[in-house]
Amino acid sequence: LEKLSSDDFTLLIFPGQKNNLGFVAKVTETQNLLSSLVSWETTMENDTDKLFAILGKEGPALSSSFKTSFYQGVGFRYLTISREDFGICYAWFDDYFVLTSSFDSMKKTIDAVKAKELESQVGQLFIIGFEGKSVTPDFEQLFRKYLPGGVLLLSKNIESKEQLKKLTEDLQSLSLREAKLPLFIAVDQEGGVISRVDFAGEKTPQSEINDPNQAYQVGLERGEELKDLGINLNLAPVLDMTQEGDFLFNRSFQKDAAETGELAKSLVLGQKTAGILSAVKHFPGYGDINFNPEGSLAKVDSLPEISQFKKAAEASPEFVLTANVVYKSLDSSLPFSFSSNALQFLKANLGENALIVTDDLAQNYLLENFSLEDIIKKPIEAGADILIFSGWEIDVSQGLDAFFTSFENNEISQAKIKEAISKIIKIKENI
């Protein structure tokens, strides 16, 4: 017991069953714990009859040695004392030590521990926005409550090189301390009109990038600047096929699909060389939309050109950011980010390795068409991996509270959540 945390343990009693006790504690010291358990097993095996008598049971113990069984991928040791599913069961996994009085209690305890672990990781599905240029006590409190997987830095969060480096260092320290995982720190550094880090040296507009060598150098220099500032994810480049008059025209490459794909591929490779994660966007595209698609829900009859995304995918960008547009040829009523048909179309054309991240969901135009619960549930159910919730028009806490409530009520597929979290953690292992 001295190897277990004195202030982090739980005693479980499962009603409606015999021999219903379970004990869970965090392991604080692993050195020599295995040998201690082996020694403890020997003691228990030698004293089973005495233990049987102490517990008021009659007759000899059914077994005199520990055996091994498995449940949900967890191996546990057990010593059967009676046929009434009574004995000693214990497991040591994921820094937890579990001791129960029956097989059934062990299974229920493993279920409870895994559910608690999943609950602590659900926030990894979110990249959130926040107010201010520093880590405030209010933000720390919010972070501890939700343990988000990433943050989105906007112009309001950025003032100077020194301030930004301090902010990103504090954010990473907070995440490593509270969530035990590094944080995605994302920014829209597209160059030109959308350059959140305004004081950066490399802000070449995409429309002024004319060949793959230049694109690679832009990606490399931009990536090196961002990495030095503590930013590890650039929500760029923009691959939307646009024409003059489209809302995103000034942010795009303004080239044909073949050239756009080659330039985007090289830019992503440059960012990758610099150690920066890339999110190509906004699949399949906001082209042919001449109004702000964040002001009202855009609906178009046919899909835009996507061959440029396929070419850029050859550089293995870590993320694909989706457009919140209803493409009627794929789904007559749901935005791309909400539709399982749409996200299957993405995977069929770009592969399944990249994380699918939604465009910002904290938007009134979405709330005018869907409930908040649907806004945060439908993308995960459809196959998205990460939800951006900036707090722009819907408060971050509102969105996350709605998601956590749906999760606790088992209204979202745990299999989909686990799959997304697994992909997220795999990428974070390389940060």
Side-chain angles (χ1 to χ4, degrees):
L1 285 177
E2 68 272 8
K3 298 181 185 297
L4 307 177
S5 172
S6 60
D7 57 358
D8 190 5
F9 66 88
T10 304
L11 179 64
L12 303 174
I13 300 176
F14 300 102
Q17 70 176 72
K18 294 182 178 180
N19 311 314
N20 60 353
L21 294 179
F23 175 86
V24 183
K26 276 282 197 177
V27 177
T28 58
E29 182 187 338
T30 59
Q31 188 175 8
N32 300 322
L33 180 56
L34 184 59
S35 60
S36 298
L37 289 171
V38 171
S39 176
W40 174 74
E41 277 192 13
T42 302
T43 301
M44 291 296 100
E45 289 170 348
N46 293 334
D47 293 338
T48 50
D49 290 342
K50 292 180 182 178
L51 179 62
F52 208 49
I54 292 171
L55 294 171
K57 306 289 184 179
E58 296 182 359
L62 193 64
S63 175
S64 60
S65 62
F66 276 87
K67 298 180 176 62
T68 301
S69 188
F70 291 88
Y71 177 69
Q72 285 215 55
V74 175
F76 65 92
R77 299 279 284 167
Y78 69 95
L79 177 66
T80 305
I81 296 178
S82 79
R83 296 184 185 278
E84 299 174 338
D85 190 17
F86 177 69
I88 300 172
C89 303
Y90 77 90
W92 171 24
F93 66 99
D94 296 340
D95 295 328
Y96 288 98
F97 180 78
V98 176
L99 179 67
T100 70
S101 56
S102 66
F103 247 64
D104 198 37
S105 294
M106 175 57 76
K107 292 178 179 179
K108 285 184 168 62
T109 303
I110 291 172
D111 285 340
V113 170
K114 285 190 169 291
K116 188 68 175 176
E117 284 188 324
L118 183 60
E119 182 181 353
S120 72
Q121 294 179 329
V122 164
Q124 291 296 310
L125 303 178
F126 283 87
I127 291 176
I128 65 169
F130 63 98
E131 299 299 320
K133 297 178 174 65
S134 63
V135 175
T136 64
D138 285 346
F139 179 76
E140 286 195 23
Q141 184 177 358
L142 181 142
F143 193 96
R144 291 191 187 97
K145 181 177 181 181
Y146 301 113
L147 300 178
V151 294
L152 175 63
L153 300 182
L154 299 173
S155 299
K156 64 183 179 181
N157 306 118
I158 299 170
E159 183 176 86
S160 66
K161 181 176 181 179
E162 294 72 21
Q163 169 269 329
L164 184 52
K165 292 182 76 168
K166 177 69 164 57
L167 173 61
T168 56
E169 288 171 3
D170 290 346
L171 286 167
Q172 285 293 7
S173 295
L174 179 63
S175 182
L176 291 171
R177 182 173 70 249
E178 300 295 338
K180 307 298 187 291
L181 286 167
L183 194 67
F184 292 137
I185 300 181
V187 71
D188 296 286
Q189 193 73 359
E190 301 169 8
V193 293
I194 302 297
S195 299
R196 305 300 188 194
V197 186
D198 185 55
F199 56 78
E202 173 41 63
K203 295 186 292 184
T204 305
Q206 290 190 185
S207 60
E208 295 181 11
I209 299 175
N210 296 311
D211 63 71
N213 287 334
Q214 183 190 6
Y216 179 85
Q217 287 301 317
V218 166
L220 179 63
E221 291 174 25
R222 186 172 295 166
E224 288 174 343
E225 279 191 294
L226 294 178
K227 186 172 184 180
D228 180 61
L229 294 167
I231 295 166
N232 54 33
L233 169 58
N234 192 11
L235 304 180
V238 175
L239 275 70
D240 305 59
M241 296 305 301
T242 63
Q243 57 187 345
E244 197 162 0
D246 289 351
F247 183 76
L248 286 186
F249 181 72
N250 289 335
R251 295 164 58 185
S252 67
F253 282 108
Q254 301 175 17
K255 311 288 194 299
D256 63 27
E259 193 172 358
T260 293
E262 290 289 354
L263 295 177
K265 175 182 174 181
S266 294
L267 199 152
V268 168
L269 288 173
Q271 292 185 159
K272 193 182 290 285
T273 301
I276 292 294
L277 307 172
S278 301
V280 294
K281 64 184 184 185
H282 308 80
F283 189 90
Y286 284 115
D288 295 328
I289 298 172
N290 58 15
F291 59 89
N292 183 355
E294 292 185 350
S296 59
L297 182 60
K299 298 181 180 181
V300 297
D301 292 325
S302 58
L303 283 166
E305 177 65 49
I306 64 165
S307 61
Q308 73 279 15
F309 282 97
K310 292 183 179 181
K311 174 55 68 173
E314 294 176 5
S316 300
E318 294 81 7
F319 297 79
V320 177
L321 191 149
T322 55
N324 292 329
V325 173
V326 176
Y327 300 95
K328 296 178 184 178
S329 60
L330 279 177
D331 196 305
S332 61
S333 60
L334 293 176
F336 192 93
S337 302
F338 292 21
S339 169
S340 58
N341 285 341
L343 295 191
Q344 283 304 311
F345 172 80
L346 184 159
K347 293 176 182 179
N349 282 279
L350 303 186
E352 301 199 13
N353 292 329
L355 288 172
I356 298 174
V357 55
T358 70
D359 206 349
D360 188 11
L361 300 177
Q363 305 284 355
N364 283 338
Y365 77 90
L366 292 175
L367 201 56
E368 290 166 0
N369 292 273
F370 304 94
S371 68
L372 181 57
E373 288 71 22
D374 280 344
I375 290 171
I376 51 83
K377 286 190 327 186
K378 284 188 177 296
I380 296 298
E381 289 288 358
D385 300 302
I386 296 181
L387 315 180
I388 293 182
F389 214 87
S390 71
W392 177 247
E393 293 178 318
I394 306 172
D395 186 77
V396 168
S397 294
Q398 279 184 272
L400 270 67
D401 282 342
F403 188 90
F404 273 74
T405 298
S406 296
F407 168 76
E408 290 164 1
N409 292 336
N410 294 316
E411 296 170 358
I412 307 174
S413 165
Q414 285 201 6
K416 295 281 183 67
I417 291 173
K418 289 177 181 177
E419 181 181 1
I421 290 172
S422 176
K423 291 172 68 176
I424 290 166
I425 291 176
K426 185 176 181 181
I427 286 184
K428 287 194 170 189
E429 286 173 348
N430 295 320
I431 292 182

